[in-house]
Amino acid sequence: MAYNWRTIKKRDMEEKKYILFIFLICLFTVCKLYGQGDVTSIGLQVTQPTGLDISNAVQILQKRLEQAVVLNDIDKGNSPFLLETEILLISCQSTPSTPTQVIAEIEIICSITDKIKDRTIQQVDFQFKGIDLTRDKAIISAIKQLQVRNPR
């Protein structure tokens, strides 16, 4: 079977088009995968705090944690990393003074966990005291001492 110059040239062009087409599809796929956002930054998703049944206190703490994440520019809603928080009431005592006030001491445990691998990456705890006329208000007063610009 004899091939002439045009037939060979046409076949080479078809192969080159096919290779270029495959290359463009691969390039598009890679750009689509990594174009979802900045792959060099790590974001956190704030979860609802656990360990306390006072809804106002939980909402205040969650808002403060969300503020801290946003102010530090690490907020991502669908991140695989979670900022989980647990509140522990260490002690709650009444003062002997008039009017009687309540002193609440709480511990807030913040941990960064990887929800894909289900393991804790970093953990830090804070202790605060709050004073007010009722137990709930004293706990809220203690939670409000958490600063959103705290470097820890």
PDB file of all heavy atoms in Angstrom, residues 76-104:
ATOM      1  N   LYS A  76     -13.905  29.695  56.464  1.00  0.00           N
ATOM      2  CA  LYS A  76     -14.374  28.957  55.291  1.00  0.00           C
ATOM      3  C   LYS A  76     -15.549  28.105  55.732  1.00  0.00           C
ATOM      4  O   LYS A  76     -15.435  27.312  56.658  1.00  0.00           O
ATOM      5  CB  LYS A  76     -13.275  28.067  54.721  1.00  0.00           C
ATOM      6  CG  LYS A  76     -12.207  28.852  54.010  1.00  0.00           C
ATOM      7  CD  LYS A  76     -11.497  27.994  53.018  1.00  0.00           C
ATOM      8  CE  LYS A  76     -10.471  28.818  52.294  1.00  0.00           C
ATOM      9  NZ  LYS A  76      -9.519  28.037  51.597  1.00  0.00           N
ATOM     10  N   GLY A  77     -16.662  28.273  55.070  1.00  0.00           N
ATOM     11  CA  GLY A  77     -17.871  27.569  55.464  1.00  0.00           C
ATOM     12  C   GLY A  77     -17.831  26.075  55.240  1.00  0.00           C
ATOM     13  O   GLY A  77     -18.439  25.321  55.974  1.00  0.00           O
ATOM     14  N   ASN A  78     -17.108  25.607  54.242  1.00  0.00           N
ATOM     15  CA  ASN A  78     -17.093  24.176  53.928  1.00  0.00           C
ATOM     16  C   ASN A  78     -15.704  23.576  54.148  1.00  0.00           C
ATOM     17  O   ASN A  78     -15.289  22.688  53.433  1.00  0.00           O
ATOM     18  CB  ASN A  78     -17.560  23.946  52.493  1.00  0.00           C
ATOM     19  CG  ASN A  78     -16.697  24.678  51.480  1.00  0.00           C
ATOM     20  OD1 ASN A  78     -15.817  25.443  51.841  1.00  0.00           O
ATOM     21  ND2 ASN A  78     -16.964  24.448  50.220  1.00  0.00           N
ATOM     22  N   SER A  79     -15.019  24.058  55.142  1.00  0.00           N
ATOM     23  CA  SER A  79     -13.664  23.589  55.413  1.00  0.00           C
ATOM     24  C   SER A  79     -13.682  22.211  56.076  1.00  0.00           C
ATOM     25  O   SER A  79     -14.597  21.895  56.835  1.00  0.00           O
ATOM     26  CB  SER A  79     -12.959  24.586  56.336  1.00  0.00           C
ATOM     27  OG  SER A  79     -11.710  24.096  56.729  1.00  0.00           O
ATOM     28  N   PRO A  80     -12.671  21.387  55.819  1.00  0.00           N
ATOM     29  CA  PRO A  80     -12.592  20.102  56.508  1.00  0.00           C
ATOM     30  C   PRO A  80     -12.103  20.246  57.949  1.00  0.00           C
ATOM     31  O   PRO A  80     -12.119  19.288  58.700  1.00  0.00           O
ATOM     32  CB  PRO A  80     -11.591  19.306  55.670  1.00  0.00           C
ATOM     33  CG  PRO A  80     -10.752  20.334  55.023  1.00  0.00           C
ATOM     34  CD  PRO A  80     -11.640  21.518  54.790  1.00  0.00           C
ATOM     35  N   PHE A  81     -11.688  21.448  58.329  1.00  0.00           N
ATOM     36  CA  PHE A  81     -11.207  21.685  59.686  1.00  0.00           C
ATOM     37  C   PHE A  81     -12.279  22.391  60.503  1.00  0.00           C
ATOM     38  O   PHE A  81     -12.824  23.398  60.086  1.00  0.00           O
ATOM     39  CB  PHE A  81      -9.918  22.510  59.668  1.00  0.00           C
ATOM     40  CG  PHE A  81      -8.815  21.847  58.913  1.00  0.00           C
ATOM     41  CD1 PHE A  81      -8.461  22.286  57.648  1.00  0.00           C
ATOM     42  CD2 PHE A  81      -8.139  20.762  59.452  1.00  0.00           C
ATOM     43  CE1 PHE A  81      -7.447  21.672  56.933  1.00  0.00           C
ATOM     44  CE2 PHE A  81      -7.134  20.139  58.743  1.00  0.00           C
ATOM     45  CZ  PHE A  81      -6.789  20.595  57.492  1.00  0.00           C
ATOM     46  N   LEU A  82     -12.568  21.851  61.677  1.00  0.00           N
ATOM     47  CA  LEU A  82     -13.629  22.377  62.533  1.00  0.00           C
ATOM     48  C   LEU A  82     -13.039  22.993  63.791  1.00  0.00           C
ATOM     49  O   LEU A  82     -12.099  22.453  64.376  1.00  0.00           O
ATOM     50  CB  LEU A  82     -14.589  21.259  62.942  1.00  0.00           C
ATOM     51  CG  LEU A  82     -15.273  20.478  61.839  1.00  0.00           C
ATOM     52  CD1 LEU A  82     -16.094  19.350  62.430  1.00  0.00           C
ATOM     53  CD2 LEU A  82     -16.150  21.387  61.011  1.00  0.00           C
ATOM     54  N   LEU A  83     -13.606  24.116  64.207  1.00  0.00           N
ATOM     55  CA  LEU A  83     -13.278  24.707  65.501  1.00  0.00           C
ATOM     56  C   LEU A  83     -14.383  24.269  66.462  1.00  0.00           C
ATOM     57  O   LEU A  83     -15.487  24.796  66.438  1.00  0.00           O
ATOM     58  CB  LEU A  83     -13.197  26.230  65.416  1.00  0.00           C
ATOM     59  CG  LEU A  83     -12.910  26.959  66.718  1.00  0.00           C
ATOM     60  CD1 LEU A  83     -11.557  26.533  67.295  1.00  0.00           C
ATOM     61  CD2 LEU A  83     -12.944  28.460  66.517  1.00  0.00           C
ATOM     62  N   GLU A  84     -14.089  23.259  67.256  1.00  0.00           N
ATOM     63  CA  GLU A  84     -15.067  22.715  68.192  1.00  0.00           C
ATOM     64  C   GLU A  84     -14.804  23.286  69.575  1.00  0.00           C
ATOM     65  O   GLU A  84     -13.646  23.442  69.976  1.00  0.00           O
ATOM     66  CB  GLU A  84     -15.001  21.189  68.212  1.00  0.00           C
ATOM     67  CG  GLU A  84     -15.389  20.579  66.882  1.00  0.00           C
ATOM     68  CD  GLU A  84     -15.320  19.076  66.883  1.00  0.00           C
ATOM     69  OE1 GLU A  84     -14.545  18.507  67.685  1.00  0.00           O
ATOM     70  OE2 GLU A  84     -16.043  18.464  66.089  1.00  0.00           O
ATOM     71  N   THR A  85     -15.871  23.569  70.297  1.00  0.00           N
ATOM     72  CA  THR A  85     -15.758  24.212  71.599  1.00  0.00           C
ATOM     73  C   THR A  85     -16.614  23.483  72.621  1.00  0.00           C
ATOM     74  O   THR A  85     -17.746  23.104  72.331  1.00  0.00           O
ATOM     75  CB  THR A  85     -16.220  25.678  71.505  1.00  0.00           C
ATOM     76  OG1 THR A  85     -15.575  26.292  70.408  1.00  0.00           O
ATOM     77  CG2 THR A  85     -15.873  26.431  72.759  1.00  0.00           C
ATOM     78  N   GLU A  86     -16.053  23.329  73.804  1.00  0.00           N
ATOM     79  CA  GLU A  86     -16.789  22.737  74.921  1.00  0.00           C
ATOM     80  C   GLU A  86     -16.672  23.674  76.113  1.00  0.00           C
ATOM     81  O   GLU A  86     -15.593  24.184  76.417  1.00  0.00           O
ATOM     82  CB  GLU A  86     -16.224  21.371  75.266  1.00  0.00           C
ATOM     83  CG  GLU A  86     -17.014  20.647  76.321  1.00  0.00           C
ATOM     84  CD  GLU A  86     -16.489  19.246  76.602  1.00  0.00           C
ATOM     85  OE1 GLU A  86     -15.549  18.816  75.930  1.00  0.00           O
ATOM     86  OE2 GLU A  86     -17.040  18.612  77.509  1.00  0.00           O
ATOM     87  N   ILE A  87     -17.795  23.892  76.797  1.00  0.00           N
ATOM     88  CA  ILE A  87     -17.822  24.767  77.960  1.00  0.00           C
ATOM     89  C   ILE A  87     -18.031  23.894  79.196  1.00  0.00           C
ATOM     90  O   ILE A  87     -18.968  23.090  79.249  1.00  0.00           O
ATOM     91  CB  ILE A  87     -18.976  25.783  77.868  1.00  0.00           C
ATOM     92  CG1 ILE A  87     -18.938  26.522  76.534  1.00  0.00           C
ATOM     93  CG2 ILE A  87     -18.918  26.759  79.027  1.00  0.00           C
ATOM     94  CD1 ILE A  87     -20.190  27.307  76.241  1.00  0.00           C
ATOM     95  N   LEU A  88     -17.157  24.064  80.173  1.00  0.00           N
ATOM     96  CA  LEU A  88     -17.286  23.331  81.433  1.00  0.00           C
ATOM     97  C   LEU A  88     -17.483  24.322  82.570  1.00  0.00           C
ATOM     98  O   LEU A  88     -16.728  25.283  82.702  1.00  0.00           O
ATOM     99  CB  LEU A  88     -16.034  22.497  81.698  1.00  0.00           C
ATOM    100  CG  LEU A  88     -15.648  21.478  80.635  1.00  0.00           C
ATOM    101  CD1 LEU A  88     -14.306  20.850  80.972  1.00  0.00           C
ATOM    102  CD2 LEU A  88     -16.714  20.406  80.532  1.00  0.00           C
ATOM    103  N   LEU A  89     -18.501  24.084  83.385  1.00  0.00           N
ATOM    104  CA  LEU A  89     -18.737  24.907  84.565  1.00  0.00           C
ATOM    105  C   LEU A  89     -17.921  24.314  85.703  1.00  0.00           C
ATOM    106  O   LEU A  89     -18.210  23.224  86.194  1.00  0.00           O
ATOM    107  CB  LEU A  89     -20.223  24.939  84.915  1.00  0.00           C
ATOM    108  CG  LEU A  89     -20.631  25.802  86.093  1.00  0.00           C
ATOM    109  CD1 LEU A  89     -20.282  27.258  85.856  1.00  0.00           C
ATOM    110  CD2 LEU A  89     -22.112  25.640  86.364  1.00  0.00           C
ATOM    111  N   ILE A  90     -16.864  25.030  86.111  1.00  0.00           N
ATOM    112  CA  ILE A  90     -15.970  24.512  87.140  1.00  0.00           C
ATOM    113  C   ILE A  90     -16.579  24.700  88.522  1.00  0.00           C
ATOM    114  O   ILE A  90     -16.633  23.780  89.325  1.00  0.00           O
ATOM    115  CB  ILE A  90     -14.588  25.184  87.048  1.00  0.00           C
ATOM    116  CG1 ILE A  90     -13.945  24.823  85.716  1.00  0.00           C
ATOM    117  CG2 ILE A  90     -13.701  24.771  88.212  1.00  0.00           C
ATOM    118  CD1 ILE A  90     -12.655  25.549  85.434  1.00  0.00           C
ATOM    119  N   SER A  91     -17.032  25.922  88.805  1.00  0.00           N
ATOM    120  CA  SER A  91     -17.650  26.182  90.108  1.00  0.00           C
ATOM    121  C   SER A  91     -18.655  27.309  89.981  1.00  0.00           C
ATOM    122  O   SER A  91     -18.570  28.137  89.075  1.00  0.00           O
ATOM    123  CB  SER A  91     -16.594  26.535  91.152  1.00  0.00           C
ATOM    124  OG  SER A  91     -16.024  27.791  90.861  1.00  0.00           O
ATOM    125  N   CYS A  92     -19.586  27.314  90.900  1.00  0.00           N
ATOM    126  CA  CYS A  92     -20.607  28.355  90.963  1.00  0.00           C
ATOM    127  C   CYS A  92     -20.921  28.585  92.439  1.00  0.00           C
ATOM    128  O   CYS A  92     -21.463  27.710  93.112  1.00  0.00           O
ATOM    129  CB  CYS A  92     -21.842  27.906  90.193  1.00  0.00           C
ATOM    130  SG  CYS A  92     -23.021  29.207  89.917  1.00  0.00           S
ATOM    131  N   GLN A  93     -20.518  29.761  92.947  1.00  0.00           N
ATOM    132  CA  GLN A  93     -20.673  30.048  94.376  1.00  0.00           C
ATOM    133  C   GLN A  93     -21.390  31.363  94.580  1.00  0.00           C
ATOM    134  O   GLN A  93     -21.268  32.277  93.771  1.00  0.00           O
ATOM    135  CB  GLN A  93     -19.305  30.115  95.049  1.00  0.00           C
ATOM    136  CG  GLN A  93     -18.478  28.867  94.917  1.00  0.00           C
ATOM    137  CD  GLN A  93     -17.054  29.070  95.410  1.00  0.00           C
ATOM    138  OE1 GLN A  93     -16.665  30.161  95.766  1.00  0.00           O
ATOM    139  NE2 GLN A  93     -16.283  27.998  95.417  1.00  0.00           N
ATOM    140  N   SER A  94     -22.091  31.465  95.695  1.00  0.00           N
ATOM    141  CA  SER A  94     -22.751  32.718  96.076  1.00  0.00           C
ATOM    142  C   SER A  94     -21.855  33.487  97.021  1.00  0.00           C
ATOM    143  O   SER A  94     -21.174  32.899  97.872  1.00  0.00           O
ATOM    144  CB  SER A  94     -24.082  32.443  96.756  1.00  0.00           C
ATOM    145  OG  SER A  94     -24.956  31.780  95.879  1.00  0.00           O
ATOM    146  N   THR A  95     -21.889  34.810  96.912  1.00  0.00           N
ATOM    147  CA  THR A  95     -21.094  35.648  97.812  1.00  0.00           C
ATOM    148  C   THR A  95     -21.902  35.935  99.076  1.00  0.00           C
ATOM    149  O   THR A  95     -23.136  35.995  99.035  1.00  0.00           O
ATOM    150  CB  THR A  95     -20.724  36.983  97.134  1.00  0.00           C
ATOM    151  OG1 THR A  95     -21.915  37.683  96.792  1.00  0.00           O
ATOM    152  CG2 THR A  95     -19.889  36.758  95.895  1.00  0.00           C
ATOM    153  N   PRO A  96     -21.234  36.119 100.206  1.00  0.00           N
ATOM    154  CA  PRO A  96     -21.954  36.414 101.451  1.00  0.00           C
ATOM    155  C   PRO A  96     -22.383  37.883 101.561  1.00  0.00           C
ATOM    156  O   PRO A  96     -23.020  38.265 102.538  1.00  0.00           O
ATOM    157  CB  PRO A  96     -20.935  36.061 102.535  1.00  0.00           C
ATOM    158  CG  PRO A  96     -19.614  36.203 101.881  1.00  0.00           C
ATOM    159  CD  PRO A  96     -19.822  35.882 100.439  1.00  0.00           C
ATOM    160  N   SER A  97     -22.071  38.685 100.581  1.00  0.00           N
ATOM    161  CA  SER A  97     -22.391  40.109 100.650  1.00  0.00           C
ATOM    162  C   SER A  97     -23.852  40.367 100.288  1.00  0.00           C
ATOM    163  O   SER A  97     -24.556  39.496  99.802  1.00  0.00           O
ATOM    164  CB  SER A  97     -21.481  40.895  99.703  1.00  0.00           C
ATOM    165  OG  SER A  97     -21.749  40.512  98.371  1.00  0.00           O
ATOM    166  N   THR A  98     -24.291  41.593 100.552  1.00  0.00           N
ATOM    167  CA  THR A  98     -25.644  41.990 100.194  1.00  0.00           C
ATOM    168  C   THR A  98     -25.552  43.022  99.093  1.00  0.00           C
ATOM    169  O   THR A  98     -24.827  43.997  99.247  1.00  0.00           O
ATOM    170  CB  THR A  98     -26.370  42.597 101.413  1.00  0.00           C
ATOM    171  OG1 THR A  98     -26.332  41.662 102.473  1.00  0.00           O
ATOM    172  CG2 THR A  98     -27.788  42.941 101.092  1.00  0.00           C
ATOM    173  N   PRO A  99     -26.198  42.926  97.994  1.00  0.00           N
ATOM    174  CA  PRO A  99     -27.036  41.809  97.554  1.00  0.00           C
ATOM    175  C   PRO A  99     -26.179  40.592  97.194  1.00  0.00           C
ATOM    176  O   PRO A  99     -25.032  40.736  96.792  1.00  0.00           O
ATOM    177  CB  PRO A  99     -27.748  42.357  96.329  1.00  0.00           C
ATOM    178  CG  PRO A  99     -26.823  43.370  95.771  1.00  0.00           C
ATOM    179  CD  PRO A  99     -26.116  43.964  96.945  1.00  0.00           C
ATOM    180  N   THR A 100     -26.772  39.445  97.312  1.00  0.00           N
ATOM    181  CA  THR A 100     -26.059  38.209  97.021  1.00  0.00           C
ATOM    182  C   THR A 100     -25.761  38.130  95.530  1.00  0.00           C
ATOM    183  O   THR A 100     -26.640  38.311  94.694  1.00  0.00           O
ATOM    184  CB  THR A 100     -26.903  36.997  97.444  1.00  0.00           C
ATOM    185  OG1 THR A 100     -27.225  37.126  98.824  1.00  0.00           O
ATOM    186  CG2 THR A 100     -26.167  35.701  97.208  1.00  0.00           C
ATOM    187  N   GLN A 101     -24.496  37.870  95.230  1.00  0.00           N
ATOM    188  CA  GLN A 101     -24.088  37.708  93.845  1.00  0.00           C
ATOM    189  C   GLN A 101     -23.539  36.305  93.644  1.00  0.00           C
ATOM    190  O   GLN A 101     -23.149  35.638  94.601  1.00  0.00           O
ATOM    191  CB  GLN A 101     -23.046  38.752  93.468  1.00  0.00           C
ATOM    192  CG  GLN A 101     -23.590  40.166  93.438  1.00  0.00           C
ATOM    193  CD  GLN A 101     -22.569  41.157  92.922  1.00  0.00           C
ATOM    194  OE1 GLN A 101     -21.378  40.975  93.094  1.00  0.00           O
ATOM    195  NE2 GLN A 101     -23.064  42.209  92.287  1.00  0.00           N
ATOM    196  N   VAL A 102     -23.487  35.886  92.401  1.00  0.00           N
ATOM    197  CA  VAL A 102     -23.015  34.557  92.051  1.00  0.00           C
ATOM    198  C   VAL A 102     -21.702  34.695  91.283  1.00  0.00           C
ATOM    199  O   VAL A 102     -21.592  35.509  90.376  1.00  0.00           O
ATOM    200  CB  VAL A 102     -24.058  33.799  91.205  1.00  0.00           C
ATOM    201  CG1 VAL A 102     -23.547  32.436  90.799  1.00  0.00           C
ATOM    202  CG2 VAL A 102     -25.369  33.682  91.950  1.00  0.00           C
ATOM    203  N   ILE A 103     -20.727  33.895  91.682  1.00  0.00           N
ATOM    204  CA  ILE A 103     -19.445  33.841  90.975  1.00  0.00           C
ATOM    205  C   ILE A 103     -19.396  32.510  90.233  1.00  0.00           C
ATOM    206  O   ILE A 103     -19.458  31.447  90.851  1.00  0.00           O
ATOM    207  CB  ILE A 103     -18.250  33.941  91.949  1.00  0.00           C
ATOM    208  CG1 ILE A 103     -18.315  35.235  92.741  1.00  0.00           C
ATOM    209  CG2 ILE A 103     -16.939  33.835  91.195  1.00  0.00           C
ATOM    210  CD1 ILE A 103     -17.293  35.327  93.849  1.00  0.00           C
ATOM    211  N   ALA A 104     -19.292  32.591  88.919  1.00  0.00           N
ATOM    212  CA  ALA A 104     -19.219  31.386  88.093  1.00  0.00           C
ATOM    213  C   ALA A 104     -17.833  31.315  87.467  1.00  0.00           C
ATOM    214  O   ALA A 104     -17.344  32.281  86.902  1.00  0.00           O
ATOM    215  CB  ALA A 104     -20.284  31.416  87.013  1.00  0.00           C
TER     216      ALA A 104
END
